[in-house]
Amino acid sequence: MGKKKNPPDIRERFGYAVKSRREELALTQEDLAEKARIHRTYLSDIERGSRNVALINIERLAGALKMPISSLFLLVER
């Protein structure tokens, strides 16, 4: 019998939401990282779900993605 795969955790869901919105806006990781004032490799880690993102960076990302923080988290909850 195979192992059940756990559902994605909040970091993975958040990363997917950020990546989806970034692609929707036709931004590269470099573009978004610059707008959010974070390092591109840090953004890459976020999108892969391997970072536990600080609140200040969530706020920066939401601003760079041109959306309120609450809307970003609505994408996470989908």
Side-chain angles (χ1 to χ4, degrees), residues 53-75:
V53 187
L55 289 172
I56 189 75
N57 291 326
I58 291 171
E59 182 177 53
R60 288 176 178 173
L61 282 167
L65 292 168
K66 300 179 181 174
M67 62 192 323
I69 296 168
S70 57
S71 295
L72 180 55
F73 276 101
L74 286 174
L75 291 177

Side-chain angles (χ1 to χ4, degrees), residues 10-56:
I10 183 69
R11 293 170 299 183
E12 293 169 303
R13 295 189 320 266
F14 184 82
Y16 181 77
V18 168
K19 182 178 181 178
S20 295
R21 178 65 175 162
R22 174 179 63 77
E23 290 175 344
E24 195 176 281
L25 295 173
L27 295 172
T28 65
Q29 282 186 340
E30 199 167 273
D31 294 334
L32 179 57
E34 185 178 314
K35 289 176 184 293
R37 300 183 326 270
I38 60 175
H39 197 276
R40 191 206 52 81
T41 57
Y42 182 74
L43 175 60
S44 177
D45 289 347
I46 292 169
E47 289 187 356
R48 284 195 325 274
S50 62
R51 285 284 180 158
N52 193 7
V53 187
L55 289 172
I56 189 75

